[in-house]
Amino acid sequence: SFLGIFISPNRKGFVIDFFRIFSYFALLWVTREIITSKNVKFFITTFFCASIVPVIVGTYQIIFRKGLVQFGKFNRIFATFRHPSDYGYFLLIFIITLLVLWLVYFKRKNKWVFIGIFGLWTLHIFFTFSRMVWIPLLFALCLLAFLWRKRLTTYFFVLMFIFIPFSFFFGQQVISRFKVEMTVNEQNINQEKILGMRVTGSPASRFRFIKSAVEEFLKSPLLGRGLGFFYYHFSLEKFGFNVETHSYIAKLLCETWIIGTFLFLYSFYKIFLYVWAHYKLTKDALTKSFCLIGAVLLGTKLMQSCFDASLRLADVEFYWWVCLGIVLGLIKLDKKPSSTNLWNSFWNFSPLSNWPFRE
């Protein structure tokens, strides 16, 4: 990708985008390398503690309606983040992690504690009113069900128990959130037709951004336009403001051509194979749980990348890549012969040893 600096029309924007994306992979590698049997409890404990302050702030915004009011009726909470979608993506990481740990490692113990935490986080995701968080959440749950086929019946029973109350109390709000930008008229010029259906607002804008990125890719299919081209150069000329493509696949095609896009997707594929292979081999329950978490995170991130500017949300991405780094770090430890009884010592001396999930 760095070769794009020679063809980028905005080299400052190229450097910013290059090091931002590079930092994610670097953070993954650094986290994996510095995790040891002595500090693994520190990484996992602080990872979960990171959700405490945002959830407190988000709860305050729900109760006192202090969120971002949009579309006339939706009080969208954003907690300590820049945007409701950022907060939703942040919580999505923790929901996937907690759900897998409870199902696989904790063997569904202390279900009321789990339902309380899971329900609170899910309620916060609902109040972000971000459709591009709701949809990846459902995708992640379905992917988990597919990968964890042995316990499919129990899994769906738990999910139905949790989501039925939400659909009962908030069904109309969910429907109205999807309909709010589907109602158009002939006088509205800000509309697009997607699969024969007229849309306006955010869906129309996203479609326009993605279509423009693909058109730029077709203009320069051999070399691409260099990282940062769309956000720092093209969008200013085309739309008059800085905006991302809202599809990282389209962005990479536009800016790094087919080779860059292929290498990016191939890296996800190789990491998935590595994690999934160890999931099948390991006998350690905690490592197996985190391997499943990594597999679901990777699949969900690829789905996100197709329809949103996920990699631009740096304040959330650092948590995602650290979580994946923890997964790879646990695999590294599990492969060492000296890792025998590692997890027994982990629980004996970790603050997590007093978690209510553990008997």
Side-chain angles (χ1 to χ4, degrees):
S1 296
F2 192 75
L3 296 175
I5 195 170
F6 298 109
I7 57 175
S8 176
N10 187 324
R11 294 189 177 181
K12 180 180 178 181
F14 169 89
V15 171
I16 294 172
D17 248 22
F18 178 84
F19 282 103
R20 177 173 52 80
I21 296 178
F22 175 82
S23 68
Y24 301 149
F25 285 94
L27 190 62
L28 165 70
W29 177 78
V30 168
T31 303
R32 175 190 179 276
E33 292 303 310
I34 65 178
I35 282 185
T36 65
S37 58
K38 293 182 179 180
N39 66 19
V40 64
K41 60 180 179 291
F42 170 79
F43 276 92
I44 297 178
T45 304
T46 53
F47 176 79
F48 278 100
C49 286
S51 66
I52 295 176
V53 172
V55 169
I56 291 174
V57 176
T59 302
Y60 168 81
Q61 292 173 347
I62 291 175
I63 295 174
F64 296 100
R65 296 185 61 83
K66 295 294 185 179
L68 177 67
V69 178
Q70 290 183 313
F71 318 114
K73 63 180 76 173
F74 300 109
N75 175 46
R76 305 184 67 187
I77 65 172
F78 53 89
T80 55
F81 291 83
R82 297 174 300 171
H83 191 272
S85 295
D86 295 37
Y87 182 44
Y89 287 136
F90 172 78
L91 288 179
L92 180 60
I93 301 169
F94 288 89
I95 283 180
I96 292 171
T97 306
L98 178 66
L99 181 60
V100 174
L101 283 175
W102 184 72
L103 289 171
V104 180
Y105 185 74
F106 294 111
K107 309 294 184 184
R108 299 178 300 283
K109 296 182 179 75
N110 296 87
K111 65 179 179 181
W112 294 112
V113 176
F114 163 76
I115 289 173
I117 299 173
F118 189 91
L120 178 64
W121 287 351
T122 306
L123 180 68
H124 279 225
I125 277 188
F126 171 78
F127 272 98
T128 64
F129 283 101
S130 176
R131 293 158 301 183
M132 288 313 300
V133 176
W134 293 350
I135 294 172
L137 173 60
L138 293 176
F139 177 85
L141 297 177
C142 292
L143 179 59
L144 174 57
F146 174 76
L147 296 176
W148 197 55
R149 290 184 291 269
K150 293 185 295 184
R151 307 291 176 84
L152 198 59
T153 304
T154 304
Y155 175 72
F156 272 110
F157 175 78
V158 172
L159 292 182
M160 287 179 63
F161 183 80
I162 294 171
F163 281 109
I164 284 177
F166 278 94
S167 58
F168 178 78
F169 289 107
F170 302 113
Q172 289 301 316
Q173 288 176 288
V174 173
I175 293 172
S176 63
R177 180 64 183 98
F178 279 92
K179 290 175 63 177
V180 71
E181 290 168 333
M182 300 295 179
T183 304
V184 297
N185 53 61
E186 296 300 326
Q187 287 73 40
N188 191 344
I189 60 174
N190 183 31
Q191 58 182 296
E192 294 283 345
K193 184 176 287 188
I194 304 175
L195 300 176
M197 179 174 60
R198 290 183 181 275
V199 296
T200 185
S202 176
S205 299
R206 289 169 187 250
F207 179 74
R208 197 173 296 120
F209 300 151
I210 293 171
K211 183 171 67 174
S212 298
V214 173
E215 289 173 353
E216 288 300 308
F217 158 68
L218 295 176
K219 290 180 182 178
S220 181
L222 293 179
L223 299 176
R225 298 303 185 97
L227 284 173
F229 166 79
F230 194 95
Y231 185 85
Y232 293 100
H233 178 77
F234 178 76
S235 63
L236 278 174
E237 291 190 346
K238 179 80 172 180
F239 307 111
F241 54 91
N242 293 107
V243 66
E244 197 51 275
T245 59
H246 287 76
S247 168
Y248 245 84
I249 305 304
K251 171 187 172 66
L252 291 172
L253 281 172
C254 170
E255 298 180 352
T256 67
W257 185 55
I258 296 175
I259 294 178
T261 307
F262 170 78
L263 290 174
F264 180 81
L265 296 177
Y266 184 68
S267 68
F268 272 66
Y269 171 71
K270 290 293 289 183
I271 295 172
F272 179 86
L273 288 184
Y274 178 74
V275 170
W276 191 245
H278 199 75
Y279 171 78
K280 294 180 177 180
L281 290 174
T282 184
K283 302 298 182 183
D284 179 75
L286 186 64
T287 306
K288 184 177 285 290
S289 300
F290 270 92
C291 285
L292 186 55
I293 291 167
V296 176
L297 285 176
L298 285 162
T300 306
K301 175 60 68 179
L302 279 182
M303 183 269 184
Q304 263 184 288
S305 297
C306 292
F307 303 106
D308 211 342
S310 57
L311 291 179
R312 179 159 289 279
L313 309 177
D315 45 355
V316 180
E317 287 299 290
F318 289 136
Y319 286 98
W320 191 93
W321 291 87
V322 163
C323 187
L324 195 60
I326 291 173
V327 173
L328 300 185
L330 293 179
I331 293 175
K332 177 192 69 172
L333 294 179
D334 194 49
K335 284 185 172 183
K336 293 181 179 179
S338 59
S339 63
T340 307
N341 297 322
L342 169 66
W343 308 123
N344 288 333
S345 62
F346 166 72
W347 285 116
N348 289 335
F349 295 100
S350 170
L352 297 178
S353 59
N354 296 320
W355 271 24
F357 294 114
R358 194 178 184 220
E359 287 187 339

